[in-house]
Amino acid sequence: MHNRREERAELIRIFEAGVSVQMLAPRRVGKTWLMREVADDLLRNGWEIVFLDVEGMRTEKEFLGALCRKLEQTAGFADQLTRNLKQRLKQFLAGTADGNPIEALGRLDAKDFAEALVAALDDARKPTVILIDEISLFVMERLAQDPDGTKAFLYHLRNLRQSYPGVRWLLTGSIGLDAVARRSGIQGAFLDLEVFALHPFGEAAAASYLADCCSRGLVRKPFALDAEGLAHLAAELGWLSPYYLKLVANRIEPRGENLSGRRRARKEDIDEAFAALLEPVYRSNFAAWEEHIDKNFPAAERLLLHAILDVCCEAVDGEIFDTLFARLRSEHPTISVRLLKDMLCVLANDGFLQDRAGRWRFSSGLLRRYWLRYLHA
């Protein structure tokens, strides 16, 4: 159940319908793993796949050069694609497009090269998906350097998706692309993409994943879970992502009776595992959450996001909106209801918080305790 077969089948259905996808996936839920599994599924069905991680890239030409090199490595039709691309490039280079196509990138506007590239894929008459990971980080980097040029490039890519429907796209990143687009006023550049939300595991999938980890020797001391133990672990962890499930599993010292050939993990054993993970030696396991805010948001937003999390971590069940707004306003007098709602949506999309029965609470009980212990101001 933890292999996400339903999600994989749904993504394939969307692509087969001729639609491209914007996958919204909070941190640590396995988005990159899912992308690679979908890529393998599509390859088995006769599709061509191009997978590109653009984190750290700084220019459109760097992005397109990396994409072109990936295409040249595409086993199924590299020679045909190169011929198609050279032919397309001649339209932009007065009939001269000899040599390596990447050399033409230095002589062309990035938008023209992008069109030649996508059109060459479309000419191949073979269904293709371009999977781009960490696109939101790339977009943020470019917007900081050249807002107008970046917006023009992104709208051009939207036009290419509409003009060359034989090429589908899957865009995702560790920051929700929707949040980046809304902040920068470029939502229109992504309106053609179908939103696909990837969520953490449910309890049944979490149990399947833990059992698989134990059977494959991926945890220090394999254990068995009964229904009571699973419910307790799920309630304490809250955020049932593969990453944190495995972290907890690796700290469990099962001391219960034998169950299906393994010692049962008791509630006390699970509690001790949570306590162990909050020791200073394991702080690095949570560093990505703090870095995510500090690296990817402007200074004013960073302060506000930290303040929201400080309030919400104080109680297990979080805080209601009105009380949260009143407390924040004393320290941030310029905050508006609209701004707070936007910031809460950002924190929800990025996996920090969830709205549970009108209360904004940490999605992960483990992260809440970490925040309260080490980061609460």
Side-chain angles (χ1 to χ4, degrees):
M1 295 182 66
H2 63 280
N3 288 325
R4 294 199 182 271
R5 298 191 185 280
E6 291 185 6
E7 291 92 337
R8 288 154 59 184
E10 176 62 11
L11 283 169
I12 291 172
R13 183 199 65 77
I14 295 171
F15 293 140
E16 289 178 340
V19 180
S20 293
V21 172
Q22 174 189 173
M23 184 162 70
L24 300 182
R27 302 185 62 79
R28 305 296 192 184
V29 297
K31 69 179 187 306
T32 303
W33 178 90
L34 178 62
M35 292 173 74
R36 293 192 182 280
E37 290 296 308
V38 169
D40 289 343
D41 293 339
L42 290 169
L43 281 171
R44 286 190 288 270
N45 292 337
W47 289 59
E48 288 298 340
I49 302 298
V50 183
F51 188 98
L52 185 63
D53 186 338
V54 298
E55 183 175 6
M57 296 184 186
R58 300 181 181 279
T59 67
E60 286 87 358
K61 291 193 173 183
E62 187 178 0
F63 163 72
L64 293 170
L67 180 58
C68 188
R69 284 188 288 273
K70 286 284 187 178
L71 294 174
E72 288 178 335
Q73 299 165 10
T74 303
F77 64 130
D79 292 339
Q80 178 188 0
L81 177 61
T82 300
R83 289 194 298 272
N84 292 348
L85 181 53
K86 286 183 178 180
Q87 187 63 38
R88 286 283 182 172
L89 288 171
K90 287 180 180 179
Q91 300 174 18
F92 297 100
L93 291 171
T96 60
D98 296 328
N100 189 321
I102 295 181
E103 296 174 2
L105 182 55
R107 301 157 56 193
L108 273 178
D109 177 79
K111 294 193 293 296
D112 291 340
F113 190 88
E115 180 162 5
L117 203 58
V118 176
L121 279 170
D122 194 63
D123 288 342
R125 307 294 182 189
K126 193 170 184 180
T128 302
V129 176
I130 300 175
L131 304 104
I132 301 183
D133 200 6
E134 298 300 357
I135 183 68
S136 48
L137 295 178
F138 171 76
V139 171
M140 287 178 62
E141 175 70 27
R142 291 305 306 132
L143 286 169
Q145 301 299 321
D146 181 11
D148 292 337
T150 304
K151 292 176 184 178
F153 182 71
L154 293 173
Y155 275 97
H156 182 67
L157 289 182
R158 185 195 68 173
N159 292 335
L160 295 184
R161 291 194 295 269
Q162 296 172 336
S163 300
Y164 302 101
V167 182
R168 282 71 148 186
W169 300 67
L170 172 59
L171 308 179
T172 190
S174 56
I175 303 173
L177 190 56
D178 60 327
V180 175
R182 184 171 56 253
R183 186 192 313 163
S184 306
I186 53 172
Q187 299 98 314
F190 305 105
L191 287 178
D192 62 305
L193 300 170
E194 181 163 336
V195 172
F196 180 90
L198 181 63
H199 301 289
F201 288 148
E203 282 194 25
S208 173
Y209 175 74
L210 289 172
D212 184 60
C213 288
C214 289
S215 65
R216 294 168 57 197
L218 300 180
V219 298
R220 292 166 53 249
K221 296 188 177 181
F223 56 86
L225 274 179
D226 59 14
E228 181 183 28
L230 175 63
H232 182 65
L233 188 152
E236 290 299 307
L237 184 57
W239 185 252
L240 300 181
S241 75
Y243 180 83
Y244 285 100
L245 283 166
K246 190 174 179 182
L247 277 184
V248 173
N250 261 320
R251 302 268 66 84
I252 289 178
E253 302 273 355
R255 298 185 181 89
E257 73 280 5
N258 282 340
L259 186 66
S260 302
R262 297 195 183 98
R263 284 202 172 273
R264 179 176 65 88
R266 308 168 305 165
K267 291 176 64 174
E268 301 93 314
D269 303 329
I270 294 168
D271 289 338
E272 288 176 8
F274 278 97
L277 280 174
L278 292 172
E279 293 299 317
V281 69
Y282 294 117
R283 284 190 67 179
S284 61
N285 291 321
F286 303 90
W289 293 92
E290 186 179 3
E291 291 175 1
H292 174 69
I293 292 176
D294 293 342
K295 287 172 57 179
N296 298 316
F297 293 90
E301 290 187 6
R302 289 200 299 269
L303 290 173
L304 184 55
L305 291 170
H306 273 274
I308 293 170
L309 293 169
D310 280 350
V311 173
C312 291
C313 79
E314 292 174 354
V316 172
D317 58 352
E319 190 54 85
I320 62 172
F321 182 90
D322 289 345
T323 301
L324 183 58
F325 180 69
R327 289 188 58 181
L328 290 171
R329 200 169 186 183
S330 64
E331 296 292 332
H332 303 269
T334 60
I335 191 173
S336 64
V337 170
R338 172 66 181 274
L339 178 58
L340 178 56
K341 287 182 177 180
D342 285 346
M343 292 296 97
L344 287 170
C345 285
V346 166
L347 290 169
N349 287 343
D350 290 348
F352 287 87
L353 300 179
Q354 58 184 220
D355 182 2
R356 180 80 61 86
R359 301 187 71 90
W360 286 95
R361 57 180 290 176
F362 269 70
S363 300
S364 166
L366 184 60
L367 179 61
R368 183 194 75 84
R369 284 189 277 178
Y370 169 82
W371 200 277
L372 183 62
R373 179 168 180 175
Y374 292 107
L375 302 178
H376 184 265

